[in-house]
Amino acid sequence: CTVKRMFRNCPKPDGWFGCFIHMRGRQDDAKLTGKTTLHITDGMSLDITAEQIDDDNYIATDIQIVTKTTKGLTAYLKSLPGVSEAVATKLVRYVGVNVLDTLKQGEDAIRRMSTAYNLGLTKPQIDSLAKGISAIGQQNQLLQFLPELAGSPKLIKRIESYLDNPINDIKNNPYILLTIPGFTFPVVDAIAIRLGIGVISLERFGHAMHHIMKIDASGDMYVNLSSDIELTRLMHQLEKLLNVQFSGMNDFGKWVIKIVD
């Protein structure tokens, strides 16, 4: 599709955008909305995967830029970290509309391109181009995977720095996000439930108990299971944190035994 006109002040700070698009096979323009870390402007050509809401409205679930316009390419390139408008303009002017294909191949390809077209790109500029293309692609995937983080670019970047395979790691254990500074239990718990963790499950209760004990502990994490006072306090904390209700101490005790085993 081709972006005919962006909605006013889009994309928004949280990545949300709306636009009118022209699609092959349609006479009338359609509306496309979604969230992305990509810099989208009028005139860009997009390869999208989208959910059709009705005849005229689509919600994007994945977006790739395949734009062939000078304006669109320049706008996209200068949105990359460390890439100035001068460098973006030079790349589009001398390399042409297929410049993105080369940039996606990495530093060696960019270096050869710079030499072939006498662009005079410095090593920092080559690094910025290679890393920028790669980072935006991964950040966009993370934002689609974790819509709860829209408007929190710092948290998305922290995920990338703490986890080697972010999406796979989070799918395997959503609560791994609690090891990353800035994530609160309620946010991580909501993500975990959306990804399939049972509301009433040993996994959820176990991570919640660990979280409570970690916050309360001044040294080693420890709960005296023979103390009704400590168990009652822990039960009430879990009920409040997870918005659940145990039927009594016997019921709660059974869950505790399963968790500590």
Side-chain angles (χ1 to χ4, degrees):
C1 65
T2 302
V3 179
K4 299 294 290 294
R5 179 165 58 87
M6 296 292 293
F7 290 3
R8 183 176 297 177
N9 299 324
C10 280
K12 304 294 185 184
D14 65 354
W16 185 91
F17 74 95
C19 62
F20 292 98
I21 58 173
H22 175 70
M23 302 170 63
R24 294 193 189 104
R26 284 184 59 109
Q27 290 185 337
D28 300 327
D29 294 338
K31 291 180 182 178
L32 175 69
T33 59
K35 288 184 177 180
T36 182
T37 56
L38 300 174
H39 183 74
I40 300 175
T41 63
D42 296 350
M44 279 188 168
S45 296
L46 306 176
D47 182 6
I48 64 168
T49 303
E51 177 184 354
Q52 186 172 7
I53 304 304
D54 54 40
D55 288 344
D56 299 318
N57 290 275
Y58 295 81
I59 296 179
T61 55
D62 184 60
I63 301 174
Q64 300 293 327
I65 291 179
V66 291
T67 189
K68 300 297 183 181
T69 66
T70 299
K71 178 183 175 182
L73 275 171
T74 303
Y76 173 56
L77 291 174
K78 73 179 184 181
S79 73
L80 300 176
V83 179
S84 67
E85 184 171 2
V87 170
T89 301
K90 183 185 291 187
L91 284 166
V92 176
R93 179 186 301 162
Y94 290 102
V95 181
V97 294
N98 295 316
V99 62
L100 288 181
D101 295 335
T102 300
L103 296 179
K104 291 176 181 178
Q105 295 175 29
E107 290 186 27
D108 289 342
I110 297 172
R111 191 175 296 108
R112 289 193 297 269
M113 175 185 68
S114 178
T115 301
Y117 290 95
N118 196 27
L119 300 178
L121 295 178
T122 64
K123 187 177 186 305
Q125 288 172 330
I126 292 172
D127 289 344
S128 292
L129 282 166
K131 291 177 181 177
I133 288 283
S134 175
I136 283 186
Q138 179 164 281
Q139 288 168 11
N140 198 49
Q141 290 178 350
L142 275 172
L143 186 58
Q144 300 296 338
F145 179 61
L146 299 174
E148 295 89 348
L149 302 187
S152 303
K154 290 183 179 179
L155 288 182
I156 292 177
K157 289 181 180 179
R158 282 181 191 163
I159 291 175
E160 292 180 302
S161 64
Y162 275 77
L163 302 178
D164 293 331
N165 299 292
I167 292 178
N168 285 336
D169 292 344
I170 295 168
K171 281 182 178 178
N172 291 333
N173 175 20
Y175 293 99
I176 197 173
L177 291 171
L178 290 173
T179 65
I180 301 175
F183 279 94
T184 63
F185 188 89
V187 169
V188 174
D189 191 47
I191 291 172
I193 291 173
R194 179 175 62 78
L195 293 178
I197 299 297
V199 174
I200 306 297
S201 67
L202 191 63
E203 185 173 4
R204 185 180 184 227
F205 288 1
H207 282 288
M209 185 181 297
H210 183 274
H211 176 72
I212 290 171
M213 293 170 64
K214 186 176 181 180
I215 291 175
D216 287 350
S218 55
D220 293 333
M221 289 186 291
Y222 173 79
V223 171
N224 184 357
L225 297 182
S226 64
S227 170
D228 288 344
I229 295 176
E230 288 195 31
L231 279 176
T232 300
R233 182 169 63 89
L234 181 59
M235 181 180 73
H236 291 326
Q237 286 176 306
L238 274 173
E239 288 178 331
K240 182 177 180 180
L241 182 63
L242 301 179
N243 192 28
V244 297
Q245 188 72 45
F246 295 101
S247 59
M249 281 301 298
N250 287 337
D251 180 36
F252 177 64
K254 292 177 182 178
W255 282 102
V256 172
I257 291 172
K258 291 179 182 177
I259 291 170
V260 297
D261 283 346

